[in-house]
Amino acid sequence: MLEVGRLSVAYGGIHAVRELSLEVASGELVCLIGANGAGKTTTLKAISGLIAPQGGSVHFDGRSITRLPAHEVARRGLSLVPEGRGVFPRMSVAENLLMGAYARNDRAAIARDLDEVYALLPRLTERRTQMAGLLSGGEQQMLALGRAMMARPRLLLLDEPSMGLAPLMVQAVFDIIRRIAASGVAVLLIEQNAHLALKTCARGYVLENGVITLSGAASDLAADPAVRQAYLGE
């Protein structure tokens, strides 16, 4: 579904991502792990159209999206849940969710999808009239996931969904991510908690200084001595 070929991104004279290649199949759950500053967020921004790559290509469902603006990429069925959630704090939970469907005009289907999101995220049902800025960090992460699902994505890009969350809330958020993937939505996950990412995903890539250094089955990466020492604290 997603094929990234030799992607390069530079900020001024600094190469944040160099010749990066990865792929995600339909319905697959894949992670990209690496230290702070490795280029993980830059990679997602380039895939989703928020920044223009210096070189390389991005194909989604067999069609090039390399130079498309972000709103056109989103219309193709690729949704980004950014680091820090990015909810609209002065809008209600319900209004935030409906913003995810801004490009749609199928009102009956939107209403059905809204009901499905509330069923997936019952905590939001209780808070549908509450301002998003008053939610806890975990609840805001759930809201960001629900808003992305309202766009009916076929591929979900997740940037550090566990950041700043209490351990119990991290587990709750990752349970939701697994359920989303089980519904058939492909997921590319960036996560600094490498242990959790490799436990959740089927495949993974290791990014170091903008370069993919390792890739393979998540279980193989978790057993790799270099990965264990650098990212799993063993």
Side-chain angles (χ1 to χ4, degrees):
M1 176 169 286
L2 176 70
E3 184 177 1
V4 180
R6 303 184 69 178
L7 186 73
S8 294
V9 183
Y11 298 107
I14 300 173
H15 288 270
V17 175
R18 293 177 287 171
E19 304 258 319
L20 181 148
S21 296
L22 61 79
E23 58 186 37
V24 180
S26 180
E28 193 176 26
L29 217 170
V30 178
C31 63
L32 180 63
I33 64 173
N36 277 336
K40 303 186 303 297
T41 294
T42 297
T43 299
L44 288 197
K45 286 183 176 180
I47 292 172
S48 59
L50 289 172
I51 55 177
Q54 187 181 44
S57 63
V58 181
H59 285 79
F60 181 60
D61 204 17
R63 301 171 65 186
S64 176
I65 59 170
T66 310
R67 297 290 174 183
L68 288 183
H71 66 279
E72 289 294 341
V73 172
R75 288 175 189 272
R76 299 283 179 94
L78 192 154
S79 291
L80 170 67
V81 178
E83 180 182 349
R85 276 82 76 173
V87 301
F88 301 104
R90 297 188 179 183
M91 295 171 66
S92 71
V93 166
E95 289 168 337
N96 267 268
L97 291 174
L98 289 173
M99 284 297 291
Y102 79 97
R104 299 171 55 186
N105 54 18
D106 47 342
R107 292 189 178 183
I110 289 172
R112 289 194 298 270
D113 289 347
L114 189 60
D115 288 341
E116 289 181 8
V117 167
Y118 282 134
L120 177 68
L121 305 166
R123 191 179 294 233
L124 296 186
T125 309
E126 305 163 6
R127 293 161 172 74
R128 64 178 72 192
T129 61
Q130 187 172 325
M131 294 298 102
L134 300 178
L135 300 178
S136 70
E139 290 165 347
Q140 288 188 16
Q141 186 64 62
M142 292 179 182
L143 179 56
L145 286 167
R147 182 180 60 191
M149 291 303 294
M150 287 299 297
R152 283 194 171 179
R154 289 178 294 143
L155 173 63
L156 202 55
L157 306 178
L158 304 180
D159 193 353
E160 301 284 6
S162 77
M163 181 175 287
L165 304 187
L168 282 177
M169 189 57 77
V170 169
Q171 291 302 323
V173 167
F174 269 76
D175 284 344
I176 293 163
I177 292 170
R178 292 185 190 97
R179 290 170 64 186
I180 289 172
S183 73
V185 178
V187 176
L188 177 58
L189 166 70
I190 282 180
E191 178 54 58
Q192 200 158 9
N193 185 335
H195 178 77
L196 182 57
L198 293 172
K199 182 180 176 182
T200 302
C201 297
R203 285 195 309 110
Y205 295 86
V206 178
L207 187 63
E208 296 181 4
N209 298 317
V211 178
I212 297 289
T213 56
L214 288 170
S215 65
S219 57
D220 292 341
L221 291 178
D224 185 286
V227 174
R228 295 174 72 89
Q229 181 177 8
Y231 303 109
L232 304 182
E234 299 178 7

